[in-house]
Amino acid sequence: MNTRHLETLRACIFDLDDTLVSGAAVWRRAEESLFERLGFEFDEQLAKSYRGLNAAGVGSAIFDAFHPDSMTADGCGRFLRARLIEFARTQSVALPGAEDILDYCHRYFQVSVASGSPRKVIQTVLDRFGWSGHVDDYVSSEEVPLGKPAPDVFLEAARRMGRIPDECLVFEDSLHGAKAAKLAGMRCYLIPSADFGDETDEYADLICDSLN
């Protein structure tokens, strides 16, 4: 961690999927299930466009792309949410350095997880890897008015910890998440899960290869 930030830093906020755990496989399988249910093939380009959104946002994006007759936008989100909960129990994989950085940060700062995944998925993952003791609180973007790239989920995480944005450092993998952190007025360390081009420099205070 960059020590120049430590003087005012009081809280660390972690994204979950592809930041702490390899959630890509879980989301991919859930999304493929939804595409199959709707009668369409999985679309890589569409998936890249909605990366970082919550289940409702992804469901709406898929609905808007295909306008299926068999399901509403809300129905797409609910279907996806159910599959995410199902697959998180068995298919989540901890990323290298995740447990160590959570342990380190919790010794010195308050720690929260702020994710687009449903709250039940977050709790399932924390329990699966024994991380609940390293995390003071967690927030799903389903609990706030707008998901990432809006700042709501990060601001709510800070509020619950009794912290102001300037006291918070966000760890993110997605451009949507990095944008949300910046809009919240927080510092952001980005561990990119894809090639986002030059836009990363606009939103990330530091770009890292991994959590190690």
Side-chain angles (χ1 to χ4, degrees):
M1 186 176 294
N2 192 330
T3 55
R4 70 186 176 87
H5 291 322
L6 295 184
E7 186 175 344
T8 59
L9 182 61
R10 298 292 181 270
C12 295
I13 304 174
F14 290 86
D15 173 54
L16 182 67
D17 296 302
D18 294 326
T19 300
L20 293 174
V21 299
S22 182
V26 173
W27 275 87
R28 174 66 177 256
R29 187 168 177 193
E31 290 162 28
E32 286 178 340
S33 295
L34 176 56
F35 275 86
E36 183 178 356
R37 171 69 173 77
L38 297 175
F40 299 102
E41 297 220 353
F42 184 77
D43 187 321
E44 293 278 4
Q45 285 303 114
L46 178 60
K48 185 176 180 180
S49 73
Y50 57 60
R51 181 170 291 158
L53 301 183
N54 61 23
V58 173
S60 291
I62 293 172
F63 177 85
D64 289 342
F66 298 106
H67 295 285
D69 295 328
S70 59
M71 198 178 291
T72 65
D74 286 344
C76 289
R78 288 195 300 272
F79 181 93
L80 184 63
R81 187 179 187 277
R83 298 289 82 75
L84 287 169
I85 293 169
E86 176 186 347
F87 298 142
R89 293 191 181 100
T90 58
Q91 298 187 22
S92 299
V93 177
L95 290 175
E99 183 162 358
D100 289 341
I101 198 166
L102 284 173
D103 178 62
Y104 173 85
C105 289
H106 194 249
R107 277 185 277 151
Y108 299 100
F109 313 108
Q110 290 174 284
V111 173
S112 180
V113 171
S115 172
S117 285
R119 186 171 178 85
K120 191 169 182 178
V121 169
I122 302 172
Q123 184 61 66
T124 296
V125 170
L126 293 178
D127 290 344
R128 175 174 167 79
F129 297 109
W131 293 343
S132 296
H134 298 315
V135 174
D136 297 297
D137 201 355
Y138 56 92
V139 186
S140 166
S141 62
E142 294 184 344
E143 300 176 73
V144 295
L146 295 172
K148 303 171 188 176
D152 303 33
V153 70
F154 291 133
L155 292 172
E156 177 63 12
R159 186 194 69 79
R160 292 185 186 184
M161 291 187 289
R163 295 299 174 188
I164 61 173
D166 192 53
E167 296 176 318
C168 300
L169 171 63
V170 172
F171 292 82
E172 259 288 353
D173 75 283
S174 73
L175 195 59
H176 281 310
K179 287 180 180 179
K182 288 288 101 177
L183 287 171
M186 300 177 184
R187 290 157 285 186
C188 180
Y189 285 5
L190 183 68
I191 310 97
S193 58
D195 183 2
F196 300 119
D198 295 336
E199 285 190 90
T200 55
D201 295 332
E202 183 177 353
Y203 301 107
D205 294 284
L206 184 69
I207 300 172
C208 313
D209 293 329
S210 72
L211 291 172
N212 286 320

